[in-house]
Amino acid sequence: MPDTVTAIESVRLLGRSQAAMLAEAENERFADLVRSLDGDDWTEQTDCPAWDVRAVVAHVLGAMESPVSLREFVHQVRAGGRAAGDRPLVDGITEVQVAERAHLSTSQLVERLTAMAPRAARARRRLPAPLRRMPLKQDVGGVTETWTLGYLYDVIYTRDTWMHRVDIARATGRPLVLTADHDGRIVADVVAEWARRHGRPFRLHLTGPAGGTFTGGDGERISLDAVEFCRILSGRGGGTGLLTQPVPF
């Protein structure tokens, strides 16, 4: 049966409702993976140079707790700003998330993550319009961009959780659950943003359950695993040609 080819312009931006459904499912998949970890898994080094599995879980937990509590959100923004200094705010926030949860035992991390996963997805969906427009500075490939908090919550937080699920699965050897309807939609959104950012013709064939074939004209032809494609764009792997175009996660 021939592979279905998707014209890149037909991949729609994630709407708020679909983004919320993806966030809910991804949070639960991440929590499922974390609940499966054994003692030695927590100290395994991940593809994030400064973080082992435990630190990755602490970061994701902090990111989940932020939208649930306005007080926690304001705290993370203020403390993250102080920690960031001249760096992007998001970098400081992630450092605070890990540092402030370093005292938790692994069982406490699991317990809090399990409770927070569904609440965080609901809270992100309910973010008020004025807060959704709040600007944030972030570095992408050496270029400072201005994001909105809505983009961070709708798109980046789900991509970030997804990529950290990949990180943990790779570090521990645990199975990585991938399906076309969920992971494939996240990957398609990444492909569409990648195409918008480089603006050049291409034909991309991504293998695996989250893959697909995408075309943006008669240009560079690329074929590789869908997860590896995302890892390269996130800076976790090396690429050439159009694969040098970063996409934020």
Side-chain angles (χ1 to χ4, degrees):
M1 184 175 179
D3 188 24
T4 300
V5 178
T6 301
I8 198 61
E9 60 269 18
S10 70
V11 180
R12 296 184 178 182
L13 294 173
L14 291 176
R16 193 169 177 180
S17 178
Q18 187 177 35
M21 288 188 292
L22 289 173
E24 182 177 8
E26 185 52 43
N27 283 3
E28 191 55 42
R29 288 191 183 191
F30 185 89
D32 285 344
L33 176 58
V34 171
R35 284 191 289 266
S36 77
L37 299 178
D38 290 330
D40 291 342
D41 292 332
W42 291 89
T43 56
E44 294 290 345
Q45 179 60 46
T46 71
D47 288 331
C48 303
W51 290 351
D52 60 9
V53 169
R54 191 190 191 291
V56 168
V57 174
H59 153 60
V60 173
L61 173 60
M64 288 183 181
E65 291 180 332
S66 174
V68 171
S69 163
L70 179 59
R71 181 176 181 178
E72 178 63 20
F73 168 78
V74 172
H75 165 70
Q76 288 191 19
V77 170
R78 289 177 175 171
R82 292 191 295 270
D86 295 332
R87 297 173 301 150
L89 174 61
V90 173
D91 292 348
I93 289 175
T94 59
E95 288 182 8
V96 168
Q97 290 166 344
V98 174
E100 292 188 346
R101 289 154 186 82
H103 67 285
L104 296 175
S105 67
T106 55
S107 60
Q108 288 173 322
L109 285 171
V110 171
E111 182 180 355
R112 280 172 59 166
L113 187 76
T114 297
M116 199 55 56
R119 295 180 61 195
R122 291 194 298 269
R124 283 160 57 184
R125 186 173 190 169
R126 295 194 301 264
L127 185 69
L131 281 179
R132 291 181 65 83
R133 294 191 293 269
M134 175 181 166
L136 298 168
K137 297 291 185 182
Q138 178 62 16
D139 179 88
V140 179
V143 177
T144 300
E145 301 180 349
T146 300
W147 297 353
T148 64
L149 190 61
Y151 172 70
L152 182 69
Y153 276 14
D154 288 351
V155 177
I156 298 299
Y157 268 23
T158 299
R159 283 185 194 167
D160 182 67
T161 305
W162 182 85
M163 184 54 72
H164 287 317
R165 182 159 62 91
V166 172
D167 292 335
I168 292 174
R170 284 173 53 85
T172 63
R174 298 284 173 174
L176 179 63
V177 176
L178 297 172
T179 59
D181 59 339
H182 174 72
D183 306 271
R185 184 63 183 96
I186 293 173
V187 170
D189 185 61
V190 171
V191 172
E193 181 164 343
W194 169 75
R196 291 192 299 272
R197 284 177 175 273
H198 65 64
R200 293 164 60 186
F202 69 94
R203 185 180 178 89
L204 175 68
H205 177 64
L206 298 177
T207 60
T213 299
F214 304 87
T215 182
D218 186 15
E220 184 176 339
R221 292 176 177 261
I222 303 169
S223 180
L224 76 167
D225 176 75
V227 173
E228 185 61 21
F229 170 78
C230 292
R231 289 187 66 254
I232 290 171
L233 301 191
S234 74
R236 289 165 170 80
T240 60
L242 294 182
L243 292 179
T244 61
Q245 171 61 58
V247 172
F249 277 81

